[in-house]
Amino acid sequence: MDRRHFIRNASAVGALAGLSAVTPAWARSALALGPARPSGLAPTVRRPGLVEYDLTIDRTPLLFGGDRGTAVTINGTVPGPLLRFTEGDEAVIRVHNRLDEDTSVHWHGLILPNDQDGVPHVNFPGIKARSTFEYRYPIRQFGTYWYHSHSAFQEQLGHYGALVIDPAGPEPYAFDREMIVVLSDWTFEDPHDVLDNLKNRANYYNYQRNTLGDVLSGDVSPSSYLAWERMRMDPTDISDITGATYTFLMNGQAPDPGWSGLFRPGERVRLRFVNASALTFYDVRIPGLPMTVVQVNGQHVQPVETDEIRMGIAETYDVVVEPGDRAYTVFAEAMDRSGYARGTLAPRVGMTAPVPERRERPSLTMMDMGMDHGAMGGMDHGSMDMSGGAASGGAMAGMDHGAMDMPASDASMEGMDHSGMAMGAASGDMAMPGVDRTGLRPPGTIPEPTMHGPDDHGKANAMAPMQTRSRLHEPGVGLGDDGRRVLVYTDLKALHPEPRRAPDREIELHLTGNMERYMWGINGKTYAEEPLIPMTLGERLRLTMVNDTMMNHPMHLHGMWMELENGQGDYIPRVHTIVVKPAERVSLLVEVDALGPWAFHCHILYHMDLGMFRVAMVQRPGETLPPELAASYVPQG
Ligand SMILES: [Cu+2]
């Protein structure tokens, strides 16, 4: 350790005196081989069939990478304590709010009674300042989950933790040791200021954007630069918020030196990854160590060996690794490459492994814009040259105003590679919102490429992609080109087959936005403008989501599982959160089996806040919602 480094650490230790513990015990860097399974927070009461916890929400000064910030903490730490249950337990969790503002706790991925789900103004009034709320619900599932605030921007400030439920029966996959790895993002800025910055200038945190200088230096071709400029978009716009303000955390610790976990050589180690970020997608790999994925979103899957996993916000992934007698770096690179969270797996204290170089920043492609594959190939190689008058004005300016949908802007396609557009085939398949196309998809099939309908969702939607398609088999922007195996959604097969019922009804929702104006919504409308998605108890729904934007959106449904139609027939996996890629069309089946209002939203905190949020209102057949009740779901405050 060099002197400068030492001094920084010494001052950090000094600053810590008088502060609470930085991280809960389970998340601290190991100084000795710990228990094979982290036990988590000591319950207030534990007796057969009942586990009670007490959680205290407060503001606490903490250190992040040597600098002091004030976090919203659970029992004084970031992340909060690990809550551990066994399937079949009754959970009683008292949340004591010591803040001067409302708070809440949502149990992400848990199937529970509606009034226990924890979303203010949807399921309950929220937990008022200086008050206590007692949650009580039966635990009817197992797996890796997490919990977090659903109030204001508290989640960005540290209000999250891991929740693990052990199965009542045996685990299907053997492992000797278990570690929990919570990934998150931290900013020293007030999140309200972060949002204001984005509203003032959407690329405020994107220091990596292409400039005219990149053109002059030959790094970026003039035609490509001009094309993106005319769309008033930026191909480097991968994340709204970047390492320019974020400190990327693994178990609450900044990357230098980062969290570390100890194992005994020869052990099979199960890592339970939780992406508890407000906005960061993480690409996770452990150089030198293949990962066998055994659980996703708390659901067992058939084992898949891979080298890298893109973890969407709010997703959980359990992997089993078999480390040798050496140290390994757990490398969680932000999707836009603006930084990383880092940890170390080692057999002995003090061992470290090299930290990989960050990769080149990725660029969005014409595919992310919803251009047809064939046309895209053409466009990439020159026919996109925008210098040539009419053709350019048509195509690109059209996109800017949402007029890319066929057939209105047919003329705009002049000059593009017509042969590759596959217009005939796709337009015959045009799916219109509200059109019933129910029936089970045969095994091995996924949504067909579909031309965007005539409704471009108005001003709140910058661009309607020409064509949307399933991208479940794609690793995502910036991945898959370097020889590493990357987990994709089509790899996922449930452990056990389940016969599936055909859907009774289909709804199609378009994820919409205007990056320049930093507006986000669904079908061009915010939650305030259109709060409800009506659902009927007992129906089986096909929920088709179409991403009209160029950002990835991790969409989360509360209270009910979504079965991901990834072509695996009776083995399709169920998820609580699904990342919908730019210009993607994805379909999921929902057994509507839980009465009440359930939140459904993008899990990017700032997108949710701005209106990419709905209430799925599940009622009995024939019931209608009184208007005054419908009005009460308009967000307040
Ligand atoms: Cu989003």
Side-chain angles (χ1 to χ4, degrees):
M1 187 184 288
D2 67 30
R3 192 178 143 70
R4 212 177 104 247
H5 204 125
F6 175 76
I7 287 170
R8 216 180 84 190
N9 282 346
S11 67
V13 170
L16 257 181
L19 299 184
S20 312
V22 176
T23 41
W26 65 265
R28 276 176 216 149
S29 292
L31 296 173
L33 199 66
R37 293 189 185 200
S39 51
L41 181 66
T44 315
V45 173
R46 184 195 292 277
R47 55 170 191 264
L50 178 77
V51 178
E52 290 189 23
Y53 288 112
D54 281 88
L55 302 179
T56 301
I57 315 300
D58 206 346
R59 284 189 192 268
T60 309
L62 294 177
L63 290 173
F64 297 96
D67 291 313
R68 184 175 156 147
T70 300
V72 175
T73 54
I74 309 163
N75 292 7
T77 64
V78 172
L82 166 65
L83 303 184
R84 193 144 203 154
F85 298 96
T86 304
E87 183 185 6
D89 281 343
E90 179 88 0
V92 174
I93 307 164
R94 278 174 297 273
V95 179
H96 311 283
N97 183 8
R98 287 207 193 136
L99 303 173
D100 297 321
E101 63 190 70
D102 288 15
T103 193
S104 56
V105 180
H106 164 60
W107 317 96
H108 188 109
L110 266 59
I111 300 300
L112 38 63
N114 187 271
D115 58 359
Q116 303 298 303
D117 197 45
V119 182
H121 313 306
V122 174
N123 309 107
F124 77 142
I127 308 172
K128 299 295 164 197
R130 311 270 159 192
S131 75
T132 293
F133 182 84
E134 185 177 281
Y135 291 89
R136 178 186 284 266
Y137 51 87
I139 303 269
R140 297 196 174 117
Q141 62 198 99
F142 56 84
T144 303
Y145 302 93
W146 65 300
Y147 62 98
H148 61 84
S149 170
H150 234 287
S151 301
F153 292 120
Q154 292 167 3
E155 190 191 309
Q156 175 75 87
L157 294 170
H159 186 325
Y160 46 80
L163 189 155
V164 169
I165 307 168
D166 294 305
E171 291 273 6
Y173 303 116
F175 58 96
D176 306 304
R177 178 171 301 280
E178 181 192 298
M179 298 179 192
I180 288 146
V181 184
V182 174
L183 301 166
S184 62
D185 45 27
W186 166 261
T187 174
F188 290 97
E189 294 182 89
D190 182 326
H192 296 90
D193 295 339
V194 171
L195 183 57
D196 284 345
N197 292 338
L198 287 167
K199 281 180 174 166
N200 291 335
R201 188 155 60 83
N203 59 15
Y204 186 91
Y205 294 103
N206 183 5
Y207 295 174
Q208 304 189 85
R209 73 191 302 250
N210 291 334
T211 63
L212 263 180
D214 296 327
V215 178
L216 296 176
S217 67
D219 289 347
V220 171
S221 82
S223 62
S224 146
Y225 176 76
L226 279 173
W228 288 97
E229 278 297 297
R230 278 176 209 226
M231 289 183 289
R232 301 200 203 121
M233 288 178 196
D234 187 330
T236 64
D237 207 352
I238 308 294
S239 292
D240 310 349
I241 309 174
T242 68
T245 187
Y246 273 153
T247 302
F248 299 107
L249 303 179
M250 186 176 291
N251 287 341
Q253 301 185 43
D256 184 17
W259 166 81
S260 63
L262 290 179
F263 61 86
R264 207 177 262 127
E267 283 180 333
R268 267 178 301 206
V269 180
R270 174 179 187 167
L271 299 168
R272 296 180 185 263
F273 285 101
V274 176
N275 187 352
S277 298
L279 188 134
T280 305
F281 289 75
Y282 279 109
D283 293 335
V284 178
R285 63 195 156 106
I286 310 175
L289 201 53
M291 301 180 281
T292 301
V293 179
V294 295
Q295 207 184 80
V296 178
N297 281 211
Q299 309 305 294
H300 280 127
V301 294
Q302 298 187 20
V304 188
E305 192 180 286
T306 191
D307 299 318
E308 185 157 21
I309 305 172
R310 172 159 291 172
M311 296 187 188
I313 297 139
E315 291 189 304
T316 70
Y317 287 87
D318 288 35
V319 305
V320 174
V321 295
E322 297 187 48
D325 191 4
R326 51 161 278 204
Y328 300 86
T329 293
V330 182
F331 194 59
E333 204 175 6
M335 175 170 68
D336 70 341
R337 312 295 177 237
S338 67
Y340 58 86
R342 169 211 174 190
T344 303
L345 301 179
R348 286 172 294 286
V349 176
M351 291 175 77
T352 56
V355 178
E357 289 289 307
R358 272 189 271 156
R359 287 168 291 192
E360 285 285 298
R361 69 180 189 210
S363 275
L364 292 168
T365 63
M366 293 297 166
M367 182 87 95
D368 297 314
M369 261 172 36
M371 304 300 287
D372 174 84
H373 189 75
M376 196 192 80
M379 294 171 87
D380 262 356
H381 300 106
S383 59
M384 266 299 279
D385 188 353
M386 304 309 293
S387 55
S392 61
M396 290 343 251
M399 226 168 255
D400 202 49
H401 302 113
M404 275 309 283
D405 45 277
M406 310 287 105
S409 61
D410 203 19
S412 71
M413 300 314 295
E414 294 297 328
M416 292 192 193
D417 183 356
H418 240 303
S419 61
M421 288 304 294
M423 303 268 306
S427 54
D429 229 30
M430 187 174 302
M432 309 291 282
V435 170
D436 202 309
R437 295 188 290 138
T438 51
L440 272 182
R441 295 186 195 290
T445 63
I446 50 181
E448 298 281 322
T450 305
M451 303 312 286
H452 198 282
D455 180 3
D456 61 18
H457 317 295
K459 284 281 175 227
N461 197 33
M463 178 192 90
M466 188 172 17
Q467 188 181 72
T468 55
R469 58 172 65 69
S470 176
R471 306 186 70 180
L472 295 173
H473 60 290
E474 295 181 37
V477 62
L479 290 183
D481 295 331
D482 53 12
R484 290 189 186 92
R485 293 170 295 179
V486 183
L487 187 76
V488 292
Y489 278 128
T490 42
D491 287 337
L492 303 181
K493 293 175 77 167
L495 186 54
H496 303 294
E498 225 178 276
R500 312 282 167 163
R501 193 157 69 85
D504 308 308
R505 185 165 74 95
E506 169 162 351
I507 53 176
E508 183 170 314
L509 301 174
H510 285 236
L511 313 178
T512 52
N514 184 322
M515 184 66 192
E516 197 183 12
R517 296 161 69 185
Y518 211 69
M519 299 165 72
W520 302 102
I522 293 174
N523 294 342
K525 296 203 166 60
T526 65
Y527 176 48
E529 292 165 332
E530 191 179 277
L532 299 179
I533 302 172
M535 295 187 186
T536 305
L537 189 70
E539 74 176 336
R540 187 159 165 85
L541 203 61
R542 172 173 288 135
L543 175 60
T544 296
M545 284 187 268
V546 177
N547 186 351
D548 281 359
T549 79
M550 297 185 55
M551 317 232 48
N552 288 271
H553 299 284
M555 300 302 297
H556 170 44
L557 176 63
H558 293 219
M560 293 168 281
W561 290 109
M562 300 184 287
E563 303 163 30
L564 175 62
E565 292 193 279
N566 68 344
Q568 297 291 6
D570 287 347
Y571 291 88
I572 61 175
R574 61 183 193 180
V575 297
H576 50 59
T577 307
I578 177 78
V579 176
V580 190
K581 296 184 181 81
E584 183 170 39
R585 167 177 290 271
V586 61
S587 70
L588 304 110
L589 298 168
V590 179
E591 197 70 47
V592 180
D593 59 1
L595 269 178
W598 299 101
F600 167 73
H601 60 94
C602 176
H603 224 286
I604 292 178
L605 185 59
Y606 302 86
H607 294 188
M608 174 175 78
D609 182 73
L610 290 176
M612 202 178 257
F613 186 102
R614 289 291 185 273
V615 167
M617 177 60 72
V618 180
Q619 297 179 279
R620 292 193 175 84
E623 265 183 352
T624 52
L625 198 67
E628 64 277 12
L629 189 56
S632 76
Y633 289 101
V634 173
Q636 297 146 39

